[in-house]
Amino acid sequence: MAGNTFGTLFKLTTFGESHGQAIGGVIDGCPAGLTIDLEEIQNELDKRKPGQSAIVTQRKEDDKVEFLSGIFEGKTTGTSIGFIIKNTNQKSKDYSHIKDVFRPSHADFTYEKKYGIRDYRGGGRSSARETACRVVAGAIAKQFLGKISFHAFTSSVGDLFINKPYQDLDFSLTESTAVRCPDLDVAHKMIEKIKAIRKEGDTIGGTVTCVIKNVPVGLGEPVFDKLHAELGKAMLSINAVKGFEYGSGFCGAKMKGSEHNDIFNVNGSTITNLSGGIQGGISNGMDIYFRVAFKPVATVIQKQDTIDKFGNKVVMEGKGRHDPCVVPRAVPIVEAMAALVIADFMLQNSNSKI
Amino acid sequence: MAGNTFGTLFKLTTFGESHGQAIGGVIDGCPAGLTIDLEEIQNELDKRKPGQSAIVTQRKEDDKVEFLSGIFEGKTTGTSIGFIIKNTNQKSKDYSHIKDVFRPSHADFTYEKKYGIRDYRGGGRSSARETACRVVAGAIAKQFLGKISFHAFTSSVGDLFINKPYQDLDFSLTESTAVRCPDLDVAHKMIEKIKAIRKEGDTIGGTVTCVIKNVPVGLGEPVFDKLHAELGKAMLSINAVKGFEYGSGFCGAKMKGSEHNDIFNVNGSTITNLSGGIQGGISNGMDIYFRVAFKPVATVIQKQDTIDKFGNKVVMEGKGRHDPCVVPRAVPIVEAMAALVIADFMLQNSNSKI
Amino acid sequence: MAGNTFGTLFKLTTFGESHGQAIGGVIDGCPAGLTIDLEEIQNELDKRKPGQSAIVTQRKEDDKVEFLSGIFEGKTTGTSIGFIIKNTNQKSKDYSHIKDVFRPSHADFTYEKKYGIRDYRGGGRSSARETACRVVAGAIAKQFLGKISFHAFTSSVGDLFINKPYQDLDFSLTESTAVRCPDLDVAHKMIEKIKAIRKEGDTIGGTVTCVIKNVPVGLGEPVFDKLHAELGKAMLSINAVKGFEYGSGFCGAKMKGSEHNDIFNVNGSTITNLSGGIQGGISNGMDIYFRVAFKPVATVIQKQDTIDKFGNKVVMEGKGRHDPCVVPRAVPIVEAMAALVIADFMLQNSNSKI
Amino acid sequence: MAGNTFGTLFKLTTFGESHGQAIGGVIDGCPAGLTIDLEEIQNELDKRKPGQSAIVTQRKEDDKVEFLSGIFEGKTTGTSIGFIIKNTNQKSKDYSHIKDVFRPSHADFTYEKKYGIRDYRGGGRSSARETACRVVAGAIAKQFLGKISFHAFTSSVGDLFINKPYQDLDFSLTESTAVRCPDLDVAHKMIEKIKAIRKEGDTIGGTVTCVIKNVPVGLGEPVFDKLHAELGKAMLSINAVKGFEYGSGFCGAKMKGSEHNDIFNVNGSTITNLSGGIQGGISNGMDIYFRVAFKPVATVIQKQDTIDKFGNKVVMEGKGRHDPCVVPRAVPIVEAMAALVIADFMLQNSNSKI
């Protein structure tokens, strides 16, 4: 039971290794008649692609998506949408130095043990390269969702945090810096920090916050498929994610009920929104917001002790062009996964009542 | 698409409202030939039941599980296991005062909007009463899992935290206090805190930490069904949960790669375990540990402004016997959901290689 | 992966053995707000129950369904609908004579080999008793489907066939005889045949035909979940079924394209309907009709050579009160499974286009 | 909920239209470590491809499969296997004459009504071209299944039938004629028949029989996912299929229990095999055999009255190079779908008992 499918009605199935011929996917369940803006999909992909700025990996991959089916004369036809992204860069490198080595805090060891075999080139299937397919599908989900808008941004890098509520941020500034933090003062510090970290040959973690606006009331399918439970699964399925919280999150666990309760306005909206837009696993029409923790990238350009598959101690040193901080490139991935969740629940909610 | 089923191979489907005739469930996919210890299942249920101590709700519900199928002469037969827990208490109360009222930070509003109808008695399906069925199924999952052990405990109440790594705790003490915190000094403070909160007519949040030991290498199904992604979904599907983190969690997002990487021992174990026992979405044989944030219970015994379904402002005052802090009773639920996830991945992993 | 769930959105999960405490099920995905006619559900169950006429088994089982959840003040609430049917008759019999014996053409041998254990009493889970749960769920599906009507009937018993197209039959006569054949001349012959077969201690096979009227255009989800593919699976999942054909069926395999094509009327209906109401796996608005083959019941009241689980030859003789022909009692089961399929596709079709 | 995925653990998801850029699919759940014989996969594809003999369509399509992922150094890695087959022929034709026309007994009308849009070129997604992807996945399933062997063959064309039990046939002769009938006398008559039908501009139906040997005891997941129920669904999902029967099939419905029961040998095999290798939905170790009815191809090279999407009567005449009888090319598809079902149940059965 390999888990390469996400979603119940709006479904994405992906395939592809970092250094195989291509990665790709199949989107099934997208309603027919949706006009597809291909350029907008490519724009989303470009936000994720390597080499886009000075603070991300300098690998050059021209992630160009090709649609093979399911779109006819510019519209979805209701049939499955197949797409591929060719791995143009895949033959250029020698991976023999890591063929038999288990890199610390990578998936080498667990893949080898689980499957008895692994495509070691660039991490194979465990590479975050597969998330490009999620961005493609998420971009289609966004087009399906129309006015529901997704606003993810870098909310911390190491110990540099945005110290404002999201309501005080101008999301139109997110794309104005390479770090994708809409608080520009903080953004500039983050960029300096990442540059410094890179010079050390080290890496740094961070968090992404995402705000979803204009979600209708009623999304989410209790008791197990609660809206925030699926959002949590979606985020935790992204490479390097270590935690998820929504609304008041871990802070809420310190609060009293009398402080935490969101009092209603007469129109059904609430004065505060510690609930994060979700009550009982169902959207209540308020903004949905959540925060996702990313660990520092495991590939450091430093000597590390490790072992090989034969049980020998070895010393390895990361080389190549890796991200010093994964968070800026994770922003479009967080949005894409959120869009897939919301699109899926939109479809599921069609049948909540007669 | 109502989401009342959890799991892919080891599956639980539940039904039941707080004040209907019974709640219950069907477990499908449990292998045949497993000897079932019914008493042990009831023990787990008793840890969740109301009225068990001075710091939980004083409602009296004798949650007695009855198995209707799938177990023959003390063993599972491979067929679906049906069970019910009767609602013995369900007729005793008058709910007319909340029939048309939307309680703040409850699911009343969202259920009403999503379904156009709701069983308002005691929260109906949105009541945490349904988690009793999860405990039953989790208890069977634990018996299937044998030596894999689950150690959940209360790690914080409000701002009272255990300030030790879990390795320094004696899990055999968890059940020795009503609050289920194995650090007894902290436990006593937590109990005092909860009693004080109750006197105020208020409630308080907290966190549960869970450690899973003896998990074999190889569980988890990338790329979407990563072990921690399913654990996260499982936890977030529990009533009142606002956040989930595993291993280094949100702290990991502040760290550098050179600090965060877990260096291997020659036997494949790691010196540190910031990964939380999971690499690339697959268990690596180290302890799995994670933390779950619970918000304060929304029912406070204080006057609150709210609205009714006709759009009128009303003042309501919680009454009855509610939990001042949900965390102690959540401990067995966290273990149960964790056991369901691990059992499911054990079955899925049977086919990872030829 | 035990297969006790049917359906994708309108889902039924069942449990229960022939001689356990109860059988039952959970219906998930039924939209909220549907008024439920409990009496009508019981009527459907009564058509399936043993002892209803002179030509079926004379066992007395009072199959009374009890709903435990999901219905509030007469309407569905959108939450899962749990129900049980108690096995009132289950302690009355001694099954030690078949405890270790594999009855010919029963599931004893395969259950024992697959699971290593079986509840041998009355066939356990392999008993057709479980189909009562299907009838309950199918009755709810019918109420959801409103004007879509299901007309199943006995179309043959042994070599006695109805020799008319279904359009010439009066379906209001189906329930007028115990054999449920609306062609009364044939019905009387069938009844005599079944009585004669019973006297011989033997059993006889037959077919059920089902016509579904007023199905809207558009149901079915190609390429794998074609409408007729799911109908076929649904029917083949019923005990004793050996074959399924729809529209022209096996006869169509002898025909030429020029004879077989259904020519359109200008309103989109077709002059002929060899397609059986389905084109390309999707309903076209014409009547759907199909035929289901049932083998003769395996329990004969005659001496038969067989083996026991220890590999010994033994002679056994069926005893008790068994059906000489399963077809009359299968009629409501065929309708129920058809209704579940149509209800499921109705929900799925909500999202076919934007 | 578009139904483009088949299988529960060994899963195939397909995409692609007849005249898009490519068709393809993703196989998920194939265990790691399986050596893949690519040539053998291509051989299976070649049995399905157009233009292979004088009695099938003379379209030239060089169906060459390209694997993009999931296979590394000749072995499966446990990750999803993506593949495409380019549509080399897709630009060569003018489809404007059927753009707005609903061809009789094709899926044009139902796709248009369901989706509001369709790719009309060559039938789009409703074209049997998609079955090439099934053949690819089925070929991998066969390699996984090792010694379990699949023997499908043409058992009738129109009213020309093989009049022998399958045990008297030499399956090594199936591929010796273009019609894939191992009874060579009948094969030659079938070929003449098909040639004559083609000259008339007409088409003819037929049946495929499939025998599966060496299936272990225990496959199938009652109560809904019975082995024959999934086989039935698999076959009915193939284009042009109208019926399915296994073992005694529709003939069994005419028989008495005393004739129909399969008496055991002491080793658990049975003397007769009217059960078709399946008891209670679970394989019993005997040969599995079933029969599939195919309607005549709807495209006839004759004038036919029909309608267009605007509700006008039009006269159309099929042109181009179509199959006069689909059955010979259906033989590898039947085997492929059978292999997918058996592989899926092999994986599911891993967990039937502890």
Side-chain angles (χ1 to χ4, degrees):
Chain A
M1 186 70 194
N4 294 294
T5 297
F6 187 82
T8 298
L9 295 185
F10 196 107
K11 284 186 292 189
L12 170 65
T13 300
T14 68
F15 64 85
E17 278 80 43
S18 172
H19 285 62
Q21 274 198 264
I23 60 172
V26 186
I27 300 160
D28 204 8
C30 183
L34 178 69
T35 300
I36 295 295
D37 181 337
L38 293 173
E39 198 178 339
E40 187 49 38
I41 297 170
Q42 190 61 49
N43 286 349
E44 293 286 317
L45 258 183
D46 290 348
K47 291 186 196 169
R48 198 212 70 94
K49 81 170 177 188
Q52 63 184 272
S53 78
I55 60 166
V56 305
T57 174
Q58 297 305 300
R59 284 195 311 276
K60 290 289 175 206
E61 285 164 12
D62 183 25
D63 288 346
K64 181 90 186 108
V65 62
E66 299 171 49
F67 288 95
L68 303 176
S69 68
I71 301 171
F72 183 59
E73 298 179 345
K75 290 192 173 178
T76 58
T77 60
T79 67
S80 45
I81 301 170
F83 64 88
I84 58 172
I85 301 170
K86 285 185 188 134
N87 289 331
T88 52
N89 206 16
Q90 84 269 25
K91 282 171 194 162
S92 56
K93 214 172 157 184
D94 178 16
Y95 279 93
S96 57
H97 66 297
I98 59 163
K99 182 173 183 303
D100 298 324
V101 171
F102 298 141
R103 293 168 295 165
S105 289
H106 274 88
D108 301 339
F109 174 78
T110 52
Y111 268 65
E112 182 83 27
K113 295 294 175 187
K114 181 178 182 72
Y115 300 115
I117 181 177
R118 71 192 159 95
D119 179 350
Y120 48 78
R121 300 168 302 166
R125 183 68 178 150
S126 73
S127 163
R129 179 152 181 73
E130 61 91 357
T131 58
C133 298
R134 306 181 183 208
V135 173
V136 171
I140 290 181
K142 282 182 181 178
Q143 296 186 20
F144 167 63
L145 291 169
K147 73 183 177 67
I148 301 177
S149 60
F150 297 83
H151 309 277
F153 56 89
T154 298
S155 46
S156 74
V157 170
D159 50 11
L160 291 170
F161 282 78
I162 297 180
N163 283 312
K164 292 176 186 168
Y166 77 81
Q167 291 86 345
D168 295 351
L169 299 173
D170 176 356
F171 296 143
S172 73
L173 299 176
T174 301
E175 286 299 315
S176 68
T177 65
V179 77
R180 297 202 163 90
C181 170
D183 182 329
L184 297 186
D185 288 345
V186 182
H188 295 308
K189 289 179 195 154
M190 288 172 170
I191 291 169
E192 291 316 302
K193 172 126 199 165
I194 293 171
K195 286 181 177 170
I197 284 286
R198 193 222 301 267
K199 258 186 209 149
E200 299 171 26
D202 214 334
T203 62
I204 187 92
T207 58
V208 172
T209 294
C210 184
V211 182
I212 317 176
K213 291 179 167 288
N214 301 319
V215 178
V217 183
L219 305 196
E221 299 292 329
V223 295
F224 294 111
D225 300 343
K226 288 175 171 143
L227 176 45
H228 55 272
E230 289 294 340
L231 281 172
K233 178 180 168 180
M235 298 307 140
L236 288 155
S237 78
I238 300 172
N239 302 46
V241 172
K242 302 297 289 184
F244 170 87
E245 59 179 3
Y246 78 105
S248 62
F250 278 89
C251 286
K254 298 182 195 163
M255 294 172 75
K256 293 183 185 180
S258 56
E259 302 167 317
H260 193 275
N261 283 352
D262 291 320
I263 304 303
F264 283 105
N265 296 308
V266 286
N267 66 359
S269 67
T270 57
I271 299 171
T272 51
N273 182 18
L274 291 158
S275 300
I278 303 171
Q279 287 292 16
I282 298 168
S283 61
N284 68 359
M286 300 294 290
D287 287 352
I288 291 173
Y289 62 97
F290 57 85
R291 206 160 67 96
V292 187
F294 290 82
K295 70 171 189 179
V297 171
T299 301
V300 292
I301 313 300
Q302 301 178 353
K303 280 200 176 123
Q304 289 184 104
D305 291 326
T306 192
I307 59 171
D308 66 17
K309 63 196 273 192
F310 313 109
N312 302 312
K313 285 194 174 193
V314 295
V315 174
M316 65 165 296
E317 185 165 357
K319 44 183 178 175
R321 296 156 297 176
H322 294 278
D323 284 288
C325 179
V326 79
V327 169
R329 289 177 59 209
V331 166
I333 305 168
V334 165
E335 285 193 5
M337 291 306 295
L340 287 174
V341 170
I342 299 296
D344 198 18
F345 279 124
M346 284 290 283
L347 297 184
Q348 293 187 52
N349 196 42
S350 306
N351 296 307
S352 59
K353 52 191 166 193
I354 55 171
Chain B
M1 186 70 194
N4 294 294
T5 297
F6 187 82
T8 299
L9 295 185
F10 196 107
K11 285 186 290 191
L12 170 65
T13 301
T14 68
F15 64 85
E17 278 80 44
S18 174
H19 285 62
Q21 274 200 264
I23 59 173
V26 187
I27 300 159
D28 204 9
C30 183
L34 179 68
T35 301
I36 294 296
D37 182 338
L38 294 173
E39 198 177 338
E40 188 49 39
I41 297 170
Q42 189 61 49
N43 286 347
E44 293 286 316
L45 258 184
D46 290 348
K47 290 185 196 169
R48 199 212 70 94
K49 79 172 178 187
Q52 63 183 273
S53 78
I55 60 166
V56 305
T57 174
Q58 297 304 300
R59 283 196 310 276
K60 290 290 174 203
E61 285 165 12
D62 183 25
D63 287 346
K64 180 89 187 108
V65 62
E66 299 171 50
F67 288 95
L68 304 176
S69 69
I71 301 173
F72 183 61
E73 299 179 344
K75 291 192 172 177
T76 59
T77 60
T79 65
S80 46
I81 301 170
F83 64 89
I84 58 171
I85 301 170
K86 286 186 186 132
N87 289 331
T88 52
N89 208 15
Q90 84 269 24
K91 283 170 193 161
S92 56
K93 216 172 156 184
D94 179 15
Y95 280 93
S96 57
H97 66 297
I98 60 164
K99 184 173 183 300
D100 298 323
V101 171
F102 297 141
R103 292 168 296 166
S105 289
H106 275 88
D108 301 339
F109 174 78
T110 52
Y111 268 65
E112 182 84 26
K113 294 295 176 187
K114 182 178 183 69
Y115 300 114
I117 181 177
R118 72 193 157 95
D119 179 351
Y120 47 79
R121 299 168 302 166
R125 184 67 178 150
S126 74
S127 163
R129 179 151 181 72
E130 62 90 356
T131 59
C133 298
R134 306 181 182 209
V135 173
V136 170
I140 290 181
K142 282 182 181 178
Q143 296 186 19
F144 167 64
L145 291 169
K147 73 186 177 64
I148 301 176
S149 61
F150 297 83
H151 309 277
F153 56 91
T154 298
S155 46
S156 74
V157 169
D159 51 11
L160 291 170
F161 281 77
I162 297 180
N163 284 312
K164 291 175 186 170
Y166 77 81
Q167 292 86 346
D168 296 350
L169 299 173
D170 177 356
F171 296 143
S172 72
L173 299 177
T174 300
E175 287 299 314
S176 67
T177 65
V179 77
R180 296 202 165 90
C181 171
D183 183 329
L184 296 187
D185 288 346
V186 181
H188 295 308
K189 288 179 196 154
M190 288 172 169
I191 291 170
E192 291 317 302
K193 172 125 198 165
I194 294 172
K195 285 181 178 170
I197 285 284
R198 192 223 301 266
K199 257 186 209 148
E200 298 171 25
D202 213 333
T203 62
I204 186 92
T207 59
V208 173
T209 294
C210 183
V211 182
I212 317 177
K213 290 179 166 288
N214 302 317
V215 178
V217 183
L219 304 196
E221 300 292 329
V223 294
F224 294 111
D225 301 342
K226 287 175 170 143
L227 177 45
H228 55 273
E230 289 294 340
L231 281 172
K233 176 180 169 180
M235 297 308 139
L236 288 155
S237 77
I238 300 172
N239 303 47
V241 171
K242 302 297 291 184
F244 169 87
E245 59 179 2
Y246 78 104
S248 62
F250 278 89
C251 286
K254 299 182 195 164
M255 293 172 76
K256 294 184 183 180
S258 56
E259 301 166 318
H260 193 274
N261 283 353
D262 293 319
I263 303 303
F264 284 105
N265 297 307
V266 285
N267 66 359
S269 67
T270 57
I271 299 170
T272 50
N273 183 19
L274 291 158
S275 300
I278 303 171
Q279 288 290 17
I282 298 170
S283 61
N284 68 358
M286 301 294 290
D287 287 352
I288 291 172
Y289 62 97
F290 57 84
R291 207 159 67 97
V292 186
F294 290 83
K295 72 172 188 178
V297 172
T299 301
V300 293
I301 312 301
Q302 300 178 353
K303 280 200 175 125
Q304 287 184 102
D305 291 328
T306 193
I307 58 171
D308 66 18
K309 63 195 273 191
F310 312 108
N312 302 312
K313 283 194 176 193
V314 294
V315 175
M316 66 165 295
E317 184 165 357
K319 45 183 177 176
R321 295 156 298 175
H322 293 277
D323 283 288
C325 179
V326 80
V327 170
R329 288 177 60 209
V331 166
I333 306 168
V334 165
E335 286 194 5
M337 291 307 294
L340 287 174
V341 170
I342 298 297
D344 198 19
F345 279 125
M346 283 290 283
L347 297 184
Q348 292 187 52
N349 197 42
S350 305
N351 296 309
S352 59
K353 52 190 165 193
I354 55 172
Chain C
M1 187 69 196
N4 294 294
T5 297
F6 187 81
T8 299
L9 295 185
F10 196 107
K11 284 186 291 189
L12 170 65
T13 300
T14 68
F15 64 85
E17 280 79 44
S18 173
H19 285 63
Q21 274 198 265
I23 60 174
V26 187
I27 299 160
D28 204 9
C30 184
L34 179 68
T35 300
I36 294 296
D37 182 337
L38 294 172
E39 198 178 338
E40 188 49 38
I41 297 171
Q42 190 61 49
N43 286 348
E44 292 286 316
L45 258 185
D46 290 348
K47 290 185 196 170
R48 199 213 70 94
K49 81 172 176 186
Q52 64 184 270
S53 78
I55 61 165
V56 305
T57 175
Q58 296 305 300
R59 284 195 311 276
K60 289 291 173 202
E61 286 165 11
D62 184 24
D63 287 347
K64 182 90 187 107
V65 63
E66 298 172 50
F67 288 96
L68 304 175
S69 69
I71 301 173
F72 184 60
E73 299 179 343
K75 290 192 172 177
T76 58
T77 60
T79 66
S80 46
I81 301 170
F83 64 88
I84 58 171
I85 301 170
K86 285 183 188 137
N87 289 331
T88 52
N89 206 13
Q90 83 270 25
K91 283 171 194 160
S92 58
K93 216 171 153 186
D94 178 16
Y95 279 93
S96 59
H97 66 296
I98 60 163
K99 182 173 184 300
D100 297 324
V101 172
F102 297 141
R103 292 168 296 165
S105 289
H106 275 88
D108 302 338
F109 175 79
T110 52
Y111 268 65
E112 182 84 27
K113 295 295 175 187
K114 182 178 183 70
Y115 300 115
I117 181 177
R118 72 192 157 93
D119 179 349
Y120 48 78
R121 299 168 303 167
R125 184 67 177 152
S126 74
S127 164
R129 179 150 182 73
E130 61 91 357
T131 58
C133 298
R134 306 181 183 208
V135 173
V136 171
I140 289 179
K142 282 182 181 178
Q143 295 185 21
F144 167 64
L145 291 170
K147 72 183 177 67
I148 301 177
S149 61
F150 297 83
H151 308 277
F153 56 89
T154 299
S155 47
S156 73
V157 170
D159 52 11
L160 290 170
F161 281 77
I162 297 181
N163 284 312
K164 291 175 186 169
Y166 77 80
Q167 292 86 345
D168 295 351
L169 299 173
D170 177 357
F171 294 144
S172 73
L173 299 177
T174 300
E175 286 298 315
S176 67
T177 65
V179 78
R180 295 200 164 91
C181 170
D183 183 329
L184 297 187
D185 288 346
V186 181
H188 295 309
K189 288 180 196 154
M190 287 172 170
I191 292 170
E192 291 315 302
K193 174 125 195 166
I194 293 171
K195 286 181 176 169
I197 285 285
R198 193 222 301 266
K199 257 186 209 149
E200 297 171 27
D202 214 335
T203 62
I204 186 92
T207 58
V208 172
T209 295
C210 182
V211 182
I212 317 177
K213 290 179 167 290
N214 302 319
V215 178
V217 183
L219 305 195
E221 299 293 329
V223 295
F224 294 112
D225 301 342
K226 288 175 171 144
L227 176 47
H228 55 272
E230 289 293 341
L231 281 171
K233 177 179 168 180
M235 297 306 139
L236 288 155
S237 78
I238 300 172
N239 302 46
V241 171
K242 303 297 291 184
F244 169 87
E245 59 179 4
Y246 79 103
S248 63
F250 278 89
C251 285
K254 298 183 195 164
M255 293 172 76
K256 293 183 183 180
S258 56
E259 300 167 318
H260 193 275
N261 284 353
D262 292 320
I263 303 303
F264 283 106
N265 296 308
V266 285
N267 65 359
S269 67
T270 57
I271 300 172
T272 51
N273 182 18
L274 290 158
S275 302
I278 303 170
Q279 288 291 16
I282 298 169
S283 61
N284 68 358
M286 301 294 291
D287 287 352
I288 291 174
Y289 62 97
F290 58 84
R291 207 160 66 95
V292 187
F294 289 82
K295 72 172 188 178
V297 171
T299 301
V300 293
I301 313 300
Q302 300 178 355
K303 281 199 175 122
Q304 288 184 101
D305 291 328
T306 194
I307 60 171
D308 66 18
K309 64 196 271 193
F310 311 109
N312 302 311
K313 285 195 175 191
V314 294
V315 174
M316 68 165 296
E317 185 166 356
K319 44 183 178 176
R321 294 156 299 174
H322 293 278
D323 284 288
C325 180
V326 80
V327 171
R329 289 178 60 210
V331 166
I333 306 168
V334 165
E335 286 192 5
M337 292 306 296
L340 288 174
V341 170
I342 299 296
D344 198 18
F345 279 124
M346 283 290 285
L347 297 185
Q348 292 187 53
N349 197 43
S350 307
N351 296 309
S352 58
K353 52 190 166 194
I354 54 171
Chain D
M1 186 70 195
N4 294 294
T5 297
F6 187 82
T8 298
L9 295 185
F10 195 108
K11 285 186 290 191
L12 170 66
T13 301
T14 68
F15 64 84
E17 279 80 44
S18 173
H19 285 62
Q21 274 198 264
I23 60 173
V26 187
I27 300 160
D28 204 8
C30 184
L34 179 69
T35 301
I36 294 295
D37 182 337
L38 293 173
E39 197 178 339
E40 187 50 38
I41 297 170
Q42 190 61 50
N43 286 348
E44 293 286 316
L45 258 184
D46 290 347
K47 290 185 196 171
R48 198 212 72 92
K49 81 171 176 186
Q52 64 183 273
S53 77
I55 60 166
V56 305
T57 174
Q58 297 305 299
R59 285 195 310 275
K60 289 292 172 202
E61 286 165 12
D62 184 26
D63 288 346
K64 181 90 185 109
V65 62
E66 297 171 51
F67 287 95
L68 303 176
S69 69
I71 301 172
F72 183 61
E73 298 179 345
K75 290 190 173 179
T76 58
T77 60
T79 66
S80 46
I81 301 169
F83 64 89
I84 58 171
I85 301 169
K86 285 183 188 137
N87 289 331
T88 52
N89 208 15
Q90 84 270 24
K91 284 172 194 160
S92 57
K93 216 171 154 183
D94 178 15
Y95 279 92
S96 58
H97 66 297
I98 60 164
K99 184 173 182 300
D100 297 323
V101 172
F102 297 141
R103 292 168 296 165
S105 289
H106 274 88
D108 302 338
F109 175 79
T110 52
Y111 268 65
E112 182 84 27
K113 295 295 175 187
K114 182 178 183 71
Y115 300 114
I117 181 178
R118 72 194 157 92
D119 179 350
Y120 49 79
R121 300 167 303 167
R125 184 67 178 150
S126 73
S127 162
R129 178 151 183 75
E130 62 90 356
T131 59
C133 298
R134 305 180 184 209
V135 173
V136 170
I140 289 180
K142 281 182 181 177
Q143 296 185 21
F144 168 64
L145 291 169
K147 73 184 178 63
I148 300 177
S149 61
F150 297 82
H151 309 277
F153 56 90
T154 299
S155 47
S156 74
V157 170
D159 52 11
L160 290 170
F161 281 79
I162 296 181
N163 283 311
K164 290 174 186 169
Y166 77 81
Q167 292 86 346
D168 296 351
L169 299 173
D170 177 357
F171 295 143
S172 73
L173 299 176
T174 301
E175 286 298 316
S176 68
T177 66
V179 77
R180 296 202 165 89
C181 171
D183 182 330
L184 297 187
D185 288 346
V186 181
H188 294 308
K189 288 179 196 155
M190 287 172 169
I191 292 169
E192 291 316 302
K193 174 125 197 167
I194 294 171
K195 286 181 177 169
I197 285 285
R198 191 219 305 263
K199 258 187 210 149
E200 297 171 27
D202 214 334
T203 63
I204 186 93
T207 59
V208 172
T209 294
C210 183
V211 181
I212 317 176
K213 290 177 167 290
N214 301 319
V215 179
V217 183
L219 305 195
E221 299 292 330
V223 296
F224 294 112
D225 300 342
K226 287 174 171 146
L227 177 46
H228 56 272
E230 289 293 341
L231 281 171
K233 177 180 169 180
M235 298 307 139
L236 288 155
S237 77
I238 300 172
N239 303 45
V241 171
K242 302 298 289 184
F244 169 86
E245 59 178 4
Y246 79 104
S248 63
F250 278 89
C251 285
K254 298 183 194 165
M255 292 172 77
K256 293 182 184 180
S258 56
E259 300 167 319
H260 192 275
N261 283 354
D262 292 320
I263 304 303
F264 283 107
N265 296 309
V266 286
N267 66 357
S269 68
T270 57
I271 299 171
T272 50
N273 182 19
L274 291 158
S275 300
I278 303 170
Q279 287 291 15
I282 298 168
S283 62
N284 68 359
M286 301 294 290
D287 288 352
I288 291 173
Y289 62 97
F290 58 83
R291 208 159 67 95
V292 186
F294 289 83
K295 72 171 188 178
V297 172
T299 301
V300 293
I301 313 301
Q302 301 178 355
K303 280 198 176 123
Q304 290 183 100
D305 291 328
T306 193
I307 58 172
D308 66 17
K309 64 195 273 191
F310 313 108
N312 302 313
K313 284 194 176 193
V314 295
V315 175
M316 67 166 294
E317 185 165 357
K319 45 183 176 175
R321 294 156 299 175
H322 293 278
D323 283 288
C325 179
V326 80
V327 171
R329 288 177 62 208
V331 166
I333 306 167
V334 165
E335 285 193 5
M337 291 307 295
L340 287 174
V341 170
I342 299 296
D344 197 19
F345 279 124
M346 284 290 283
L347 296 184
Q348 292 188 52
N349 197 41
S350 305
N351 296 309
S352 58
K353 53 191 165 194
I354 55 172

